[in-house]
Structures are given as structure tokens and as C-alpha cells.
């Protein structure tokens, strides 16, 4: 009876759960019903067909350095050291993140190049706008020009050729001078010609689309500058956080070497006392070698990170920056993932650039059709000339003889290339196809922007969890190492336990440093990629006014490792 009741109760529970699950599924479907993607707003409607760059969405770039940073101004753009002393580092300069961002905004050559491209686009726009104005051309041929010539003609052709004339065969007589025409003539004359033409294209089908394309190109260059400024700030913050991480890695390496030195000292002391084996000493030496290698690699990566930041800031050749503060969590991101994505869509100039590409290609298509459309111009031509002297006269030449003329012509000129073999129409289709390609590139960039925001958001969330877990891991590993050393000194454990615990502590501290760096980097990425600055700063840490007491057991100086040649090290390894 009890089994039957239990079975009935199990069936009833299953039916109840099934009904609840089906009802819950229906509610979720109603709440999370898929949207009609065709009903989404168009970027042309929200941003406009020809969006303008809005510099107010970003704080403007700094143009000057404060007095304390003036020595860090960038060297001349064409400066090129040619002596080793000119590239030798003479100063390590601690910098805060704010100082690094200001230096990169003032010094970085890439940002200066982007600003120059904006001015170039502005010049191209002004050049295109000039098509609305008339053109004035001045021409001067021979200003002045002197002619000197001598001529001789066959005398037989200067005689009277009419047989009926009584003077047939006689030399001709000049009716003006009454003298016989000489076969020798001469020329000596000064001339000056000047012409001015004013042309105004009343109807020019290519003018409006060319100006529109130049204007969109100018707005695109401004968007490119804003993108370069935002990426420059992000790269600076990323390199600064990486430098902080490498500084922390050096600290971890130094602490690991100190612990290994203490462990090696204890192992040797126990070995000499006869209570430990040679194996424990070798294990301590092996762990010391590992930690020394870790420290060596950390110092290398720290030097690389410093020089990478120096290149980003374009500092003088003899200055290397350092991080003025250790890595700390910078704040808490407040907006949700959905709010971050929508803000990025509205903030990112990359999308506006593709919309401008669509407009530019459409304008270029209309300009291509202008090649087979009529062009009407109003032309006014004024010309004048003056001559002084005579030509083709018998000597002597009278230089007092002169002439002067002036004329003015006004005309309407029309040009119409009726047939060009289909070239204009083909160019029109080409640019229309480019406009269509820009729409596809817009969709790809939209998906890329969302992925970037989501990646940064997920990285931030994971790093937040990792900070909590690695913090507990570091605290536990420190306590474990302390207990393992006490157990080893008491003779109840081996050196292997100390070595393993020490390695666990080192790895835990490295993971904690990685988590903080990833968190700060992801936070900076979200701020730069969404345009939002809704970050709650962390409360200030209340530090004690007195310096914490350092464990005397670990206050061991680290001896510098000699830089032996690689060949010598290879020989030692082969002999061992």
C-alpha cells in the first residue's frame, strides 16, 4: 500500500513539474520573443545620411605640457641620433597614468599626423568649393617682343607684268613714295600683346557632387582623428597597466628569490647538522634557480614595457618612464551589457565613416555621369596689342610709326560629350557598387563593435571574480608557506613540501597581478569603446602611517647574477 501511494505521489509530482515547466517556457517565450529585425531603426535615420563629426563626445586632446613635464617634450620629428651617447638612458622618470595620457596627446606623432590629415581634407574641400567661382586667366605674348628682319625678293617679279602697259618690263613705282620698289626690305618693330579671360561655369553637373564628396571626406577625416585620439588613450592606458604588471612581476620574482635563499640556507644548515639529506639541498638549489630565472625574465619584460611606453609617449631618447604607482583596481563599471552595446553604437565614429563612404561613393557616381552631360560657361575675353616700328619696308625704318588695338568678346560656350562609349555609365555603376559594399562593411563593423564590447565586458566580469579568488589563494598560500617552513624547521616534513608551497604562492601572486591588469585594461576598453564614464571609483585605502615590519627571515639581500656568456653556460651544462 505504501509503495502504491509513493508511486502515485511520484507521478503527481512529475505531472505538476511538467505543467510548471511548460507554463514557465511559455512565459519565457512571451518575455523573450525574437524581435523583427526588419523593424530595427536604420542608421541613416538615427545618424543621418551625412553625419558630422562631434568632437564634444571626447575630451579634447591636450596641446601643451605643464611646467613639470616640459623636459619630456618630444624631440624634433626628423631628429636621428648617430652616437651611442645620444641614446643612452640617463633618467628613469616616474609617471602617473594621467601624466602619461597628457604626454601622449601632446607628443605622439601618429596623432599629429591624424590632425594633419584633417587639415589636408579641409584644403581639398576648399579646392572643391572654388568651382562655384569664376576663373580669371591673364595671357601676355611678347611683353614686349622685338622683331628685326631683312628680306630680299626676286627683282623680276617686281617689274610691271602687264604687256599692254607702256611700262611693261620696267621696275614698279611705289605710289606712295614715287620711288622704284627695291627688292631689299627690312623690318624693325616692337610689339606687346595682352589678353584677359573671365570664365564662369553656369551649368556644371560635376560641381555639386564633387563638393559633396569633398565635404564628406573632410568629416571622415575628423572622425578618423577622433578614433585615433580614442585609440591612443586606450593604448597608453593599456601599456601603462602592462608596465604596472611587470613591476609587480619583478616584485614577485624578488620575493621568490628571497624565500628560496632562506630555504636553501635552512636546507644547508640541516644538511650540515646531519638531519637532512643532500636531496633536500638540491631541491632548494633547483627552486632558487627557477626563481632567479623568473626574476630575470621579469626584469626583461619590465624593460620592454618601459620602452614600449616611452615609444608611445615619444619621450626624449635619454629618458625612460616608470610607473609612479603600483597596480590597483581603478573602479567599478556601472552600465549593463545591453546599455554598453547601445552606447557604443551611438558613440563609435567607425560606423559614421562607413555611412560617409556610402555618401561619397554616391556623389562620385553622380560626378561620373557629369562626363556626358552639357557644360555651359559664360566667357568674357579682353585683348589688346600695340606695335612700334615697321615691317617689310625699304630702309630706313621709321620707328615713330605705331599702332594700337583693343577688343572685348562676351560669349556663352557649351560643351556636351554626347557619347563616350559607355565609360561614364560604367563609372556610375562602379561607384554605386562601392556604395553597396560600404553598407556591408557597416554591418561587419557593427558586429565587430558589439563583439569588442562583449569581450571587454566578459573579461571584466571574469577578472572581477578572479581578483576575489586569487586574493584568497594568495592569503592561503602565504599561510601555507609559513606553516611548511615551520614544519620543515621542526623536522616533520621535507624540503619538497616547502618548494611546492613556495611555487604555489608565486603562481598565486602572478595570477592576482594578471587579474588586476586584465580588470583595469577591460575597464579602460569599455570606457573608450562605449563613450560612457559611469565608473564608481574605489574607496581610498587607509594605509598605516608606520612602515609595516618586514619578516626578518626574508630580509635577505639578493646578490646580482653575473652575466656569463651563453657559450660558457652551454659548456658547463654539457660537462655536468
Amino acid at each position: 500500500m505504501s509503495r502504491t501511494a509513493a508511486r502515485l505521489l511520484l507521478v503527481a509530482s512529475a505531472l505538476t513539474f511538467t505543467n510548471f515547466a511548460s507554463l514557465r517556457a511559455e512565459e519565457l517565450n512571451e518575455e523573450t520573443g525574437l524581435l523583427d529585425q526588419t523593424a530595427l531603426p536604420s542608421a541613416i535615420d538615427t545618424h543621418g545620411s551625412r553625419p558630422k563629426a562631434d568632437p564634444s563626445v571626447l575630451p579634447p586632446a591636450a596641446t601643451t605640457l605643464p611646467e613639470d613635464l616640459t623636459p619630456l617634450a618630444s624631440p624634433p620629428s626628423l631628429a636621428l641620433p648617430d652616437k651611442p651617447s645620444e641614446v643612452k638612458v640617463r633618467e628613469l622618470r616616474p609617471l602617473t597614468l594621467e601624466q602619461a595620457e597628457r604626454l601622449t596627446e601632446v607628443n605622439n606623432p601618429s596623432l599629429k599626423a591624424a590632425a594633419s590629415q584633417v587639415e589636408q581634407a579641409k584644403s581639398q574641400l576648399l579646392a572643391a568649393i572654388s568651382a562655384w567661382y569664376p576663373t580669371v586667366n591673364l595671357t601676355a605674348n611678347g611683353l614686349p617682343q622685338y622683331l628685326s628682319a631683312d628680306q630680299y625678293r626676286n627683282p623680276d617679279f617686281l617689274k610691271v607684268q602687264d604687256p599692254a602697259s607702256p611700262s611693261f618690263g620696267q621696275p614698279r613705282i611705289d605710289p606712295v613714295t614715287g620711288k622704284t620698289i627695291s627688292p631689299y626690305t627690312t623690318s624693325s618693330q616692337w610689339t606687346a600683346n595682352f589678353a584677359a579671360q573671365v570664365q564662369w561655369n553656369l551649368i556644371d553637373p560635376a560641381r555639386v557632387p564633387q563638393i559633396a564628396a569633398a565635404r564628406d571626406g573632410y568629416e571622415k577625416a575628423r572622425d578618423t582623428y577622433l578614433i585615433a585620439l580614442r585609440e591612443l588613450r586606450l593604448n597608453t592606458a593599456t601599456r601603462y597597466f602592462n608596465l604596472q604588471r611587470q613591476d609587480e612581476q619583478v616584485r614577485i620574482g624578488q620575493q621568490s628569490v628571497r624565500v628560496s635563499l632562506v630555504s636553501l640556507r635552512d636546507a644547508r644548515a640541516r644538511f650540515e647538522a646531519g638531519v637532512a639529506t643532500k636531496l633536500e639541498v638540491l631541491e632548494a638549489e633547483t627552486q632558487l634557480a627557477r626563481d632567479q630565472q623568473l626574476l630575470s625574465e621579469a626584469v626583461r619584460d619590465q624593460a620592454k614595457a618601459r620602452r614600449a611606453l616611452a615609444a608611445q609617449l615619444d619621450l626624449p631618447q635619454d629618458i625612460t618612464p616608470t610607473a609612479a604607482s603600483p597596480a590597483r583596481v581603478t573602479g567599478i563599471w556601472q552600465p549593463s551589457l545591453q546599455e554598453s552595446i547601445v552606447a557604443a553604437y551611438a558613440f563609435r565614429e567607425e560606423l559614421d565613416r562607413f555611412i560617409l563612404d556610402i555618401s561619397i561613393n554616391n556623389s562620385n557616381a553622380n560626378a561620373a555621369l557629369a562626363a556626358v552631360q552639357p557644360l555651359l560657361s559664360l566667357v568674357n575675353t579682353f585683348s589688346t596689342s600695340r606695335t612700334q616700328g615697321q615691317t617689310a619696308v625699304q630702309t630706313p625704318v621709321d620707328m615713330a610709326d605705331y599702332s594700337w588695338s583693343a577688343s572685348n568678346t562676351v560669349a556663352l560656350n557649351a560643351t556636351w560629350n554626347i557619347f563616350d562609349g559607355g565609360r561614364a555609365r560604367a563609372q556610375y555603376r562602379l561607384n554605386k557598387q562601392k556604395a553597396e559594399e560600404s553598407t556591408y562593411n557597416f554591418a561587419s563593423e557593427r558586429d565587430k563593435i558589439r563583439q569588442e564590447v562583449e569581450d571587454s565586458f566578459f573579461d571584466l566580469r571574469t577578472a572581477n571574480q578572479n581578483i576575489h579568488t586569487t586574493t584568497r589563494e594568495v592569503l592561503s598560500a602565504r599561510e601555507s608557506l609559513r606553516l611548511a617552513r615551520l614544519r620543515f624547521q621542526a623536522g616533520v616534513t621535507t624540503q619538497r613540501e616547502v618548494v611546492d608551497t613556495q611555487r604555489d604562492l608565486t603562481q598565486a601572486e602572478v595570477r592576482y597581478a594578471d587579474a588586476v591588469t586584465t580588470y583595469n585594461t577591460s575597464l579602460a576598453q569599455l570606457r573608450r569603446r562605449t563613450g560612457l564614464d559611469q565608473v564608481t571609483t574605489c574607496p581610498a585605502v587607509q594605509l598605516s602611517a608606520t612602515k609595516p615590519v618586514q619578516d626578518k627571515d626574508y630580509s635577505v639581500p639578493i646578490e646580482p647574477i653575473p652575466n656569463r656568456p651563453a657559450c660558457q653556460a652551454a659548456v658547463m651544462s654539457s660537462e655536468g
Side-chain angles (χ1 to χ4, degrees):
M1 183 66 180
S2 59
R3 292 185 179 179
T4 304
R7 291 176 181 176
L8 292 176
L9 181 60
L10 179 60
V11 172
S13 301
L15 292 175
T16 303
F17 178 79
T18 303
N19 293 334
F20 174 78
S22 61
L23 291 175
R24 183 56 182 165
E26 292 177 0
E27 292 177 358
L28 291 176
N29 289 335
E30 292 178 357
E31 294 176 358
T32 62
L34 296 179
L35 296 176
D36 183 7
Q37 298 298 308
T38 59
L40 293 176
S42 172
I44 303 300
D45 297 333
T46 57
H47 291 230
S49 60
R50 300 172 67 188
K52 292 185 177 181
D54 185 9
S56 63
V57 299
L58 283 177
T63 56
T64 58
L65 293 176
E67 185 177 356
D68 59 331
L69 297 180
T70 302
L72 303 183
S74 61
S77 299
L78 296 180
L80 186 63
D82 57 356
K83 297 179 181 178
S85 60
E86 295 174 346
V87 295
K88 182 180 179 180
V89 176
R90 293 179 171 83
E91 179 183 356
L92 296 177
R93 183 65 178 267
L95 296 175
T96 64
L97 178 58
E98 292 74 15
Q99 291 175 332
E101 289 182 345
R102 188 176 185 89
L103 282 169
T104 192
E105 291 173 8
V106 176
N107 290 351
N108 191 269
S110 300
L111 187 62
K112 296 177 183 178
S116 176
Q117 291 174 357
V118 174
E119 295 300 322
Q120 295 173 28
K122 183 178 180 180
S123 300
Q124 291 178 350
L125 176 58
L126 294 176
I129 293 176
S130 66
W132 280 110
Y133 299 95
T135 59
V136 179
N137 297 322
L138 300 179
T139 304
N141 295 326
L143 193 67
Q145 175 178 312
Y146 176 72
L147 173 65
S148 177
D150 294 314
Q151 296 178 338
Y152 176 79
R153 188 177 182 184
N154 189 347
D156 295 338
F157 290 91
L158 297 178
K159 297 178 180 180
V160 179
Q161 303 295 328
D162 187 4
S165 175
S167 301
F168 176 73
Q170 299 297 323
R172 293 180 181 179
I173 303 300
D174 189 345
V176 178
T177 61
K179 299 180 180 179
T180 301
I181 297 177
S182 173
Y184 294 97
T185 59
T186 186
S187 300
S188 180
Q189 187 181 60
W190 289 92
T191 61
N193 300 308
F194 175 80
Q197 184 184 72
V198 179
Q199 181 176 347
W200 191 8
N201 294 336
L202 301 179
I203 299 177
D204 186 359
R207 179 169 49 202
V208 173
Q210 288 176 349
I211 294 177
R215 182 260 186 195
D216 292 337
Y218 172 63
E219 295 297 334
K220 185 178 178 181
R222 295 178 65 192
D223 286 334
T224 302
Y225 172 79
L226 295 178
I227 294 172
L229 176 59
R230 184 176 64 249
E231 291 299 323
L232 185 67
R233 290 171 175 170
L234 175 58
N235 292 336
T236 301
T238 301
R239 295 192 180 189
Y240 190 87
F241 293 146
N242 184 55
L243 176 56
Q244 288 182 327
R245 183 207 178 275
Q246 301 307 328
D247 291 344
E248 186 68 13
Q249 189 76 7
V250 171
R251 185 198 65 80
I252 295 172
Q254 291 175 344
Q255 183 64 21
S256 299
V257 170
R258 291 191 180 96
V259 174
S260 296
L261 289 173
V262 172
S263 298
L264 179 60
R265 181 192 62 189
D266 294 344
R268 286 176 176 173
R270 288 172 55 82
F271 175 72
E272 293 174 357
V275 295
T277 63
K278 181 66 174 178
L279 178 61
E280 294 180 352
V281 176
L282 294 176
E283 288 178 347
E285 291 178 349
T286 303
Q287 183 60 34
L288 175 61
R290 290 198 192 101
D291 291 333
Q292 288 176 338
Q293 180 181 0
L294 175 66
L295 178 59
S296 177
E297 293 177 352
V299 172
R300 175 204 63 190
D301 294 338
Q302 182 189 53
K304 287 184 177 181
R306 287 176 175 178
R307 291 313 305 169
L309 183 60
Q312 180 77 12
L313 307 184
D314 194 24
L315 296 179
Q317 297 287 323
D318 55 351
I319 296 178
T320 292
T322 62
S325 59
R328 294 289 186 271
V329 176
T330 55
I332 302 174
W333 184 251
Q334 295 296 325
S336 64
L337 175 60
Q338 292 74 21
E339 292 172 343
S340 302
I341 294 174
V342 173
Y345 285 160
F347 172 71
R348 298 289 288 273
E349 294 83 6
E350 289 87 342
L351 297 177
D352 289 345
R353 289 200 305 176
F354 286 109
I355 296 177
L356 289 173
D357 281 338
I358 296 174
S359 178
I360 291 173
N361 291 320
N362 288 330
S363 298
N364 291 337
N366 295 330
L369 286 181
V372 291
Q373 294 175 349
L375 175 66
L376 182 63
S377 303
L378 176 63
V379 181
N380 185 94
T381 303
F382 172 79
S383 61
T384 181
S385 63
R386 176 183 174 85
T387 62
Q388 183 81 30
Q390 297 175 327
T391 60
V393 297
Q394 298 180 10
T395 57
V397 177
D398 188 359
M399 295 301 295
D401 187 7
Y402 71 91
S403 62
W404 177 83
S405 65
S407 63
N408 189 76
T409 304
V410 180
L412 283 175
N413 295 341
T415 304
W416 192 353
N417 185 13
I418 297 178
F419 181 72
D420 65 347
R423 177 183 178 85
R425 179 59 61 176
Q427 291 291 334
Y428 174 83
R429 289 196 304 271
L430 172 63
N431 287 284
K432 282 295 184 180
Q433 291 163 356
K434 288 184 178 180
E436 184 179 6
E437 177 188 354
S438 298
T439 61
Y440 302 141
N441 293 334
F442 179 92
S444 298
E445 186 66 23
R446 177 197 62 208
D447 298 337
K448 178 182 176 183
I449 288 175
R450 174 164 183 167
Q451 182 181 0
E452 289 177 348
V453 174
E454 289 176 337
D455 289 347
S456 299
F457 193 89
F458 298 149
D459 290 341
L460 181 69
R461 185 170 59 186
T462 303
N464 184 44
Q465 296 294 331
N466 290 342
I467 289 176
H468 289 280
T469 56
T470 55
T471 299
R472 295 196 304 267
E473 184 182 6
V474 169
L475 296 177
S476 300
R478 285 177 182 173
E479 182 64 15
S480 298
L481 178 60
R482 187 183 70 84
L483 296 177
R485 292 192 66 252
L486 292 177
R487 286 165 52 84
F488 177 71
Q489 292 173 358
V492 296
T493 187
T494 62
Q495 182 67 29
R496 170 55 59 184
E497 181 178 348
V498 177
V499 169
D500 293 341
T501 309
Q502 178 184 343
R503 184 164 54 246
D504 293 340
L505 175 59
T506 301
Q507 294 175 354
E509 290 182 334
V510 169
R511 283 192 288 268
Y512 175 79
D514 291 340
V516 173
T517 301
T518 303
Y519 184 91
N520 290 336
T521 303
S522 301
L523 189 62
Q525 291 174 351
L526 284 174
R527 298 175 68 175
R528 302 308 184 197
R529 291 170 176 172
T530 63
L532 301 177
D533 200 18
Q534 302 177 15
V535 178
T536 303
T537 57
C538 298
V541 180
Q542 299 296 331
L543 299 177
S544 175
T546 60
K547 186 176 180 181
V549 180
Q550 188 177 7
D551 190 350
K552 296 181 179 180
D553 292 338
Y554 298 119
S555 59
V556 179
I558 301 177
E559 298 294 335
I561 302 175
N563 188 13
R564 297 186 180 89
C567 296
Q568 181 181 354
V571 171
M572 292 174 60
S573 176
S574 61
E575 291 178 352

